[in-house]
């Protein structure tokens, strides 16, 4: 398996609130470092991608991102840390966090960005686990670029699958608000990049992070050419989406399948429902597949509660490949917070994937 990594993804290093304490965010550079360590001790080939070295690359990446993300939102990700810094509202090594969020309002005034610099951070976020520090934007773009590069490699090298170590992750972001450690939706970037070559292509998305990919669902909710399916913890973060009755809207009705599973679910239950998701993707018959791969389904994960062990990822990887055949697949990293087990879990998934052909 080819695995793509950009060292710039390691720069983003922020904080989150845990109870009443500001602590280093679970979504940390150590996650990718641990995965790199495991890969270096394996037979897989790690390839470095460096977005920073080419300006024309950056320009075309921004165009692809703009397909699904608002320009004011992107400018906020790029500029807000410096704006706070200029007013000395944050330390050079600090992170900015939102304070006040827009809520449904009879006067409907919540639908435009406020002028206040603190308020803007809340306007462009839906929770407090998406801090922005001095290098966040570099990592966010590097991560999105890995998703794009994965698609380019799939096409040019005629590969059946490729893994991108996308960090920060993307599936909670809908192009207008950051949240759940996500800033740019890497899945949407991969889909846009594929369709740059194949306009109107049918694309399948299998989201197996522990959390519902509210952002990805939202972006494709009315799109009949994109089938989104997710298996996730019921009534867990991000709380307001992920119910089974969310089936898409307008043209997209029927192209969204949510499979919420009880917290604490066993691997047997998980595999049974995974089969439903895979079968639905098979019926949709996409020409390319994107997997949102999160390892917060691991039994020890602090943010998840499924009973999935390292060896089970092999079964999961094999099941997907066996039943979907050789559809070109971009495998993008989402969550997973038990740093010491991330490498082994990813290698297990890949082992199963490679055995499933
Ligand atoms: N303060 C992903 O797995 N809530 N995001 C954290 C502790 C946010 C998960 C609660 C969980 C976000 C990509
Ligand atoms: Zn997650």
């Amino acid at each position: 398996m080819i695995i793509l990594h950009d060292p710039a993804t390691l720069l983003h290093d922020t904080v989150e609130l845990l109870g009443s304490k500001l602590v280093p965010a679970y979504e940390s550079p150590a996650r990718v470092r641990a995965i790199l360590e495991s890969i270096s001790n394996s037979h897989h080939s790690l390839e470095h991608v460096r977005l920073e070295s080419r300006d024309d690359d950056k320009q075309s990446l921004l165009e692809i991102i703009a397909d699904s993300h608002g320009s004011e939102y992107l400018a906020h990700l790029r500029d807000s840390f410096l704006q706070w810094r200029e007013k000395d509202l944050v330390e050079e090594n600090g992170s900015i966090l939102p304070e006040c969020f827009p809520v449904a309002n009879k006067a409907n005034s919540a639908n435009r960005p406020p002028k206040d610099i603190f308020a803007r951070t809340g306007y462009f976020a839906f929770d407090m686990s998406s801090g922005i520090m001095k290098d966040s934007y570099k990592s966010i773009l590097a991560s999105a670029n890995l998703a794009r590069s994965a698609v380019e490699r799939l096409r040019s090298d005629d590969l059946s699958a490729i893994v991108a170590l996308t960090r920060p992750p993307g599936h909670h972001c809908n192009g207008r608000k950051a949240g759940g450690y996500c800033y740019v939706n890497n899945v949407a970037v991969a889909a846009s990049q594929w369709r740059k070559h194949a306009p109107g292509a049918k694309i399948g998305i299998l989201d197996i992070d522990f959390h519902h990919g509210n952002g990805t669902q939202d972006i494709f909710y009315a799109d009949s050419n994109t089938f989104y399916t997710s298996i996730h913890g019921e009534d867990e973060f991000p709380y307001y989406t992920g119910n089974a009755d969310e089936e898409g809207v307008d043209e997209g009705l029927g192209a969204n399948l949510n499979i919420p599973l009880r917290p604490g679910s066993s691997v047997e239950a998980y595999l049974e429902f995974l089969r439903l998701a895979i079968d639905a993707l098979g019926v949709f018959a996409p020409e390319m597949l994107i997997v949102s791969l999160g390892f917060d389904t691991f039994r020890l994960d602090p943010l998840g509660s499924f009973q999935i062990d390292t060896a089970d990822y092999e079964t999961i990887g094999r099941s997907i490949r066996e039943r979907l055949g050789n559809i070109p697949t971009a495998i993008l990293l989402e969550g997973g917070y038990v740093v010491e087990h991330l490498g082994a879990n990813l290698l297990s998934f890949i082992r199963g994937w490679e055995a499933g052909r």
Side-chain angles (χ1 to χ4, degrees):
M1 184 72 78
I2 297 176
I3 298 158
L4 302 181
H5 163 64
D6 183 332
T9 62
L10 302 174
L11 298 171
H12 171 69
D13 193 354
T14 185
V15 293
E16 68 180 310
L17 269 180
L18 210 56
S20 64
K21 287 204 178 68
L22 262 190
V23 298
Y26 278 124
E27 201 294 289
S28 71
R31 299 173 59 237
V32 166
R33 283 203 199 96
I35 291 175
L36 293 175
E37 172 75 25
S38 296
I39 293 170
S40 71
N41 296 319
S42 78
H43 65 280
H44 299 295
S45 52
L46 178 72
E47 290 188 15
H48 285 86
V49 175
R50 284 189 172 79
L51 174 65
E52 278 305 308
S53 54
R54 291 195 31 206
D55 274 357
D56 52 335
D57 249 24
K58 205 161 156 180
Q59 203 40 51
S60 62
L61 173 66
L62 288 171
E63 283 165 22
I64 290 286
I65 296 175
D67 283 348
S68 47
H69 296 67
S71 57
E72 278 193 286
Y73 170 68
L74 294 170
H76 169 77
L77 295 180
R78 185 189 61 208
D79 301 334
S80 59
F81 180 83
L82 273 177
Q83 290 163 351
W84 283 50
R85 209 40 217 132
E86 276 160 15
K87 295 199 158 77
D88 218 9
L89 298 168
V90 61
E91 310 272 286
E92 174 66 15
N93 64 357
S95 288
I96 68 175
L97 284 175
E99 165 216 320
C100 184
F101 298 99
V103 293
N105 186 310
K106 285 176 190 143
N108 202 26
S109 58
N111 251 337
R112 56 183 157 73
K115 295 197 183 80
D116 183 89
I117 192 168
F118 290 124
R120 289 176 69 82
T121 302
Y123 181 82
F124 290 117
F126 68 84
D127 76 352
M128 297 188 70
S129 44
S130 45
I132 297 176
M133 46 77 76
K134 67 172 162 39
D135 293 320
S136 295
Y137 188 65
K138 283 186 198 143
S139 296
I140 293 163
L141 289 192
S143 184
N145 188 52
L146 288 175
R148 175 175 75 148
S149 304
V151 166
E152 288 307 274
R153 291 297 302 270
L154 275 182
R155 295 193 70 95
S156 67
D157 298 15
D158 205 18
L159 301 169
S160 81
I162 188 162
V163 172
L165 299 180
T166 41
R167 166 186 193 267
H171 75 151
H172 293 306
C173 173
N174 69 354
R176 295 185 308 276
K177 285 170 188 287
Y181 311 136
C182 301
Y183 305 82
V184 159
N185 192 301
N186 300 316
V187 168
V189 169
S192 275
Q193 185 68 25
W194 186 274
R195 289 189 176 126
K196 200 172 148 175
H197 303 285
K202 280 165 75 179
I203 295 181
I205 301 167
L206 175 62
D207 191 328
I208 50 173
D209 184 277
F210 176 79
H211 305 99
H212 180 239
N214 58 303
T216 311
Q217 168 173 298
D218 195 31
I219 289 170
F220 296 110
Y221 209 54
D223 181 354
S224 61
N225 284 324
T226 310
F227 188 90
Y228 174 78
T229 180
S230 169
I231 303 161
H232 49 266
E234 183 168 35
D235 299 330
E236 296 274 340
F237 181 91
Y239 311 118
Y240 302 104
T241 59
N243 288 320
D245 63 3
E246 297 160 16
E247 299 179 332
V249 75
D250 301 334
E251 307 271 274
L253 188 62
N256 197 85
L257 175 64
N258 283 329
I259 306 178
L261 274 189
R262 293 270 160 74
S265 284
S266 66
V267 65
E268 290 76 20
Y270 188 88
L271 291 171
E272 191 185 318
F273 288 101
L274 176 67
R275 179 147 298 210
L276 285 183
I278 297 172
D279 284 348
L281 280 165
V283 170
F284 181 72
E287 77 173 54
M288 102 138 330
L289 179 68
I290 304 170
V291 178
S292 265
L293 179 57
F295 290 105
D296 36 16
T297 51
F298 183 55
R299 63 186 174 86
L300 299 175
D301 200 279
L303 298 184
S305 61
F306 292 160
Q307 298 302 310
I308 293 179
D309 215 335
T310 300
D312 301 323
Y313 290 109
E314 188 171 337
T315 312
I316 293 170
R318 185 161 28 78
S319 308
I320 301 170
R321 179 85 180 277
E322 267 174 3
R323 299 179 68 89
L324 292 177
N326 280 330
I327 304 173
T329 303
I331 300 168
L332 309 183
L333 186 65
E334 299 285 357
Y337 307 101
V338 192
V339 169
E340 318 82 79
H341 293 270
L342 273 176
N345 289 345
L346 176 60
L347 293 184
S348 178
F349 180 90
I350 295 174
R351 197 176 310 120
W353 184 277
E354 292 186 334
R357 71 198 176 97

